[in-house]
Amino acid sequence: MTKRQFDVVVIGGGPGGYVAAIRAAQLGFATACIEMESYADPKGEVRLGGTCLNVGCIPSKALLRSSELFDEAKHAFVMHGIKMNDLAIDVGVMMRRKDNIVTQLTQGIRGLFKKNKVTLLAGRGSFAGREDELWQIAVTAQDGTTEIVAATHVIVATGSSPRQLEGIPVDNVTICDNVGALSFTEVPKRLGVIGAGVIGLELGSVWKRLGSEVTILEAMPDFLAAADPAVAKEAWKIFTSKQALKIHLGVKIGEVKQGAKGIAIEYENGEGAQRLECDKLIVSVGRVPNTAGLGCETVGLELDAQGRIAVDHQCRTNLENVWAVGDVVRGPMLAHKGMEEGVMVAECIAGQAGHVNYEAIPWVIYTHPEIAWVGKTETQLKNEGVEYRVGQIPFLANGRALGQGDTAGFVKMLACAKTDRILGVHVIGSNASELISEAVVAMEFGAVAEDIARICHAHPTLSEVMHEAALAVDKRALHF
Ligand code: FAD
Ligand code: NAI
């Protein structure tokens, strides 16, 4: 059989990879995308969408919604005069809904590949060498057969996997990473979580809302250290007091034992030796880049000190025509960051001016209330010696938030004291994930706080709080 040859071969079909493949095909390149995982596909077929669609962003947000509705029915309906008897959750139905959403989306990407004429190659991709200025990529199928394809350009988008802790073996039944934690068959009575990061908080709150007693053990002494300090403080108050999530900071995990009665975790904190017993344990202590088995050493593909593929600002590696995007390279491990890099690389390959503005990548934590930000935190500005002004407005003063019965949190805008340019926007509150887009657009356009202050915002909407925060930068808020 003659060797198949492509202009662009993408290794990995997650958000970074599949978007790079679609954009490359749109630009007229003969493109293939290699994916090896079938995740939980009932037919055992390879599934596109990577961590995000299969075991990350999408299933977690589906469960968040179910748990929020349950929580509202339990606690919020009553203030609207809606009475409920015999409220119960059927975890099986909730999981099937989540699985159906995942299936719909992963099949959707297969459809997009067909539409854009991207060839899907099922198997594990690895570098096999270089011949006649073409990269030789081995695609090893599940049955062990290998096909070598040739490529002018290679985009590595192999993503990341959960970091493991020594002595805490994940079986995804009792001790779980994100995969098992998204597929519990019943609500655990006592749920332990190691790591109060994004996954710990999002999934911890899902199961808390559904009735678990949740305890989160976090190594760092500070809570949500990456967020703006005012947001972290507000989130701590809401999660630990109002929502009764137990979060212990500054812990050192010791021995973890599994027995007939569950899991026992020995740990130390400022108050000495402690013990937590639980029925399920989620380990969410960060993720590591997937570079093993890629054949990096075969071709001399350089890694950085953290084991990620080393790239420049346009995702070029040290090898000619080899690029890398998404979780496997530096920068935040976020789906939208990977997708933007995928587009940038395809456009650079086409000789266009591909570009990602790393200063304007939004962060969202899908707890309730949601937390979202873009740009610098107050801590960063202080450390950098930048003079700034602050406008901070609570949702409590907003008519729509009151109508919705959801007044927690605030919008905080940070602007340069000299130029008024927006340097950072931080939101904790209902719909923060949607509200932050206005701030991202503003920052991308180099807006000043006065620009937002002069824009007409629809009434009554939550976005009026963004407007008021911009006015508050100049100490002229109208409704607070
Ligand atoms: P991945 O999505 O990891 O995809 C890489 C793909 O490459 C995988 O399918 C893998 O099987 C495949 N692969 C690896 N090696 C090979 C090989 N050698 N050959 C062939 N295929 C290979 N981000 C957000 O922005 N918003 C969220 O709300 C969010 N929620 C999350 C919730 C959870 C529980 C988790 C775990 C993550 C979440 N993330 C979220 C992060 C997001 O999922 C990742 O940033 C994103 O999936 C990274 O995309 P990627 O394409 O770089 O890698
Ligand atoms: P994370 O980096 O957000 O949080 C890990 C937490 O575990 C940190 O607070 C860390 O201090 C703590 N930790 C590390 N070692 C520990 C130990 N030995 N004992 C106790 N605590 C320890 O990582 P997480 O939550 O695993 O998520 C991985 C990545 O997935 C995130 O960084 C994010 O990029 C992405 N993600 C994004 C989401 C979103 O955008 N909404 C949602 C979920 C995940």
Side-chain angles (χ1 to χ4, degrees):
M1 201 171 83
T2 49
K3 195 185 283 175
R4 288 197 274 181
Q5 187 177 324
F6 299 92
D7 300 321
V8 177
V9 166
V10 183
I11 309 180
Y18 82 74
V19 167
I22 290 173
R23 187 71 189 118
Q26 283 176 348
L27 290 163
F29 296 113
T31 306
C33 180
I34 311 174
E35 175 56 60
M36 64 182 185
E37 272 287 342
S38 22
Y39 296 97
D41 187 81
K43 291 189 216 143
E45 279 179 6
V46 149
R47 279 199 163 197
L48 291 164
T51 303
C52 168
L53 254 62
N54 293 285
V55 288
C57 324
I58 298 302
S60 60
K61 268 82 244 179
L63 297 186
L64 278 167
R65 178 72 184 137
S66 301
S67 71
E68 277 166 10
L69 286 175
F70 182 75
D71 191 65
E72 278 187 38
K74 204 168 173 186
H75 297 115
F77 278 16
V78 65
M79 68 176 163
H80 297 272
I82 305 170
K83 289 187 184 149
M84 292 272 311
N85 292 322
D86 302 329
L87 183 67
I89 178 84
D90 184 331
V91 175
V93 172
M94 176 178 84
M95 289 295 170
R96 275 200 296 284
R97 172 182 176 274
K98 178 244 340 171
D99 292 339
N100 288 340
I101 293 168
V102 169
T103 303
Q104 188 182 331
L105 286 174
T106 55
Q107 284 176 353
I109 296 177
R110 266 184 185 256
L112 290 175
F113 271 20
K114 275 205 187 96
K115 181 180 161 203
N116 289 285
K117 300 192 173 53
V118 175
T119 304
L120 170 61
L121 302 172
R124 173 184 278 277
S126 60
F127 286 95
R130 189 154 161 85
E131 279 172 24
D132 304 325
E133 307 214 328
L134 291 175
W135 292 105
Q136 307 297 304
I137 305 296
V139 186
T140 306
Q142 267 168 3
D143 64 8
T145 53
T146 295
E147 174 186 2
I148 304 279
V149 297
T152 311
H153 289 268
V154 179
I155 305 173
V156 181
T158 48
S160 63
S161 303
R163 189 163 78 84
Q164 309 274 336
L165 290 180
E166 219 185 300
I168 312 182
V170 168
D171 58 14
N172 271 328
V173 178
T174 311
I175 302 184
C176 300
D177 56 27
N178 56 299
V179 177
L182 291 164
S183 295
F184 288 168
T185 50
E186 57 186 13
V187 180
K189 193 165 176 302
R190 300 164 304 170
L191 174 65
V193 181
I194 303 184
V198 205
I199 294 179
L201 290 174
E202 287 187 6
L203 294 182
S205 21
V206 164
W207 296 106
K208 171 77 194 152
R209 280 193 282 269
L210 296 177
S212 294
E213 194 182 299
V214 179
T215 308
I216 308 183
L217 304 176
E218 165 60 44
M220 299 292 284
D222 298 320
F223 179 62
L224 279 183
D228 186 86
V231 169
K233 195 171 159 200
E234 182 77 0
W236 174 263
K237 214 168 60 191
I238 295 170
F239 298 159
T240 58
S241 307
K242 279 197 197 149
Q243 298 178 0
L245 263 183
K246 287 186 199 141
I247 309 175
H248 300 298
L249 301 175
V251 311
K252 190 168 183 303
I253 305 289
E255 203 176 359
V256 174
K257 275 196 210 142
Q258 270 197 73
K261 287 194 183 150
I263 310 155
I265 304 147
E266 309 282 348
Y267 67 94
E268 277 176 37
N269 63 6
E271 289 153 24
Q274 312 284 341
R275 181 183 165 91
L276 172 71
E277 288 180 0
C278 56
D279 306 303
K280 296 263 189 199
L281 177 64
I282 300 177
V283 182
S284 48
V285 290
R287 298 178 62 86
V288 290
N290 291 330
T291 55
L294 245 186
C296 299
E297 46 313 310
T298 313
V299 288
L301 183 59
E302 254 176 37
L303 304 184
D304 65 18
Q306 283 81 38
R308 304 168 296 200
I309 295 178
V311 288
D312 70 5
H313 67 291
Q314 283 183 316
C315 291
R316 269 184 205 86
T317 70
N318 65 313
L319 301 177
E320 193 186 13
N321 295 348
V322 178
W323 312 72
V325 300
D327 281 11
V328 77
V329 304
R330 85 284 174 269
M333 288 183 168
L334 298 173
H336 43 282
K337 174 260 191 188
M339 293 193 222
E340 288 305 309
E341 288 179 334
V343 170
M344 168 174 73
V345 166
E347 293 182 350
C348 285
I349 291 172
Q352 299 181 0
H355 170 74
V356 173
N357 179 2
Y358 289 95
E359 303 298 316
I361 294 177
W363 277 85
V364 180
I365 307 178
Y366 296 84
T367 42
H368 195 91
E370 292 179 345
I371 295 170
W373 73 88
V374 59
K376 303 273 165 113
T377 64
E378 205 168 338
T379 315
Q380 285 170 319
L381 294 179
K382 277 187 185 143
N383 291 342
E384 290 168 16
V386 177
E387 282 179 46
Y388 58 90
R389 295 197 296 173
V390 185
Q392 185 173 321
I393 297 290
F395 284 100
L396 196 58
N398 176 266
R400 185 66 189 278
L402 279 162
Q404 306 271 67
D406 209 345
T407 52
F410 54 79
V411 175
K412 173 174 174 179
M413 189 174 288
L414 299 163
C416 176
K418 290 186 191 123
T419 64
D420 196 36
R421 194 171 172 137
I422 299 170
L423 302 173
V425 177
H426 305 268
V427 186
I428 173 166
S430 180
N431 279 309
S433 56
E434 303 292 344
L435 291 173
I436 202 65
S437 291
E438 180 178 9
V440 178
V441 172
M443 287 187 70
E444 278 282 2
F445 280 74
V448 294
E450 183 71 15
D451 289 322
I452 303 269
R454 297 220 167 260
I455 289 172
C456 178
H457 289 69
H459 174 76
T461 61
L462 298 176
S463 73
E464 288 173 290
V465 181
M466 183 71 74
H467 184 216
E468 292 283 335
L471 287 163
V473 167
D474 195 36
K475 297 198 170 31
R476 48 180 233 264
L478 293 164
H479 294 91
F480 187 71

